[in-house]
């Protein structure tokens, strides 16, 4: 978040750790699996991933029991073909 200016430069502060920066920090997730480390749970890539998971979960939640069974069966068939 922006916290003012120093010598004409914008200052930023991390809302998680309160560190300050003279330029907008660039977050790079170095985890092999997103979100496995506590520091990565505020990573923009992990937040995007969580949004996708939530969307997929909401779509599954709207399916009937029979539709879920059909979906399960189609995955089982696909696994046996691999």
């Amino acid at each position: 978040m922006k916290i003012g200016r120093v010598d004409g430069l914008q200052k930023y502060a991390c809302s998680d750790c309160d560190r300050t920066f003279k330029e907008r920090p660039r977050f790079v997730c170095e985890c092999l699996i997103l979100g496995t480390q506590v520091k990565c749970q505020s990573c923009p890539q992990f937040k995007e991933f969580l949004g996708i998971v939530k969307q997929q979960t909401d779509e599954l939640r709207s399916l009937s029991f029979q539709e879920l069974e059909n979906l399960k069966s189609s995955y089982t068939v696909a696994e046996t073909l691999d």
Side-chain angles (χ1 to χ4, degrees), residues 26-44:
R26 292 177 182 85
F27 295 98
V28 177
C29 185
E30 297 174 357
C31 294
L32 295 176
I33 302 172
L34 293 175
T36 56
Q37 297 181 21
V38 174
K39 69 178 184 169
C40 292
Q41 298 200 2
S42 60
C43 170

Side-chain angles (χ1 to χ4, degrees), residues 10-76:
Q10 181 67 54
K11 280 186 67 177
Y12 299 89
C14 176
S15 58
D16 292 328
C17 68
D18 294 326
R19 287 183 55 201
T20 59
F21 306 90
K22 289 185 179 177
E23 62 182 48
R24 185 177 296 271
R26 292 177 182 85
F27 295 98
V28 177
C29 185
E30 297 174 357
C31 294
L32 295 176
I33 302 172
L34 293 175
T36 56
Q37 297 181 21
V38 174
K39 69 178 184 169
C40 292
Q41 298 200 2
S42 60
C43 170
Q45 291 173 309
F46 183 64
K47 289 182 179 182
E48 179 182 354
F49 171 74
L50 285 180
I52 293 168
V53 169
K54 182 184 181 319
Q55 179 184 1
Q56 293 293 316
T57 303
D58 290 344
E59 289 174 13
L60 289 172
R61 190 175 288 129
S62 68
L63 297 178
S64 70
F65 181 76
Q66 187 58 49
E67 290 170 319
L68 289 171
E69 284 293 320
N70 293 343
L71 187 61
K72 178 181 161 188
S73 297
S74 68
Y75 278 109
T76 305

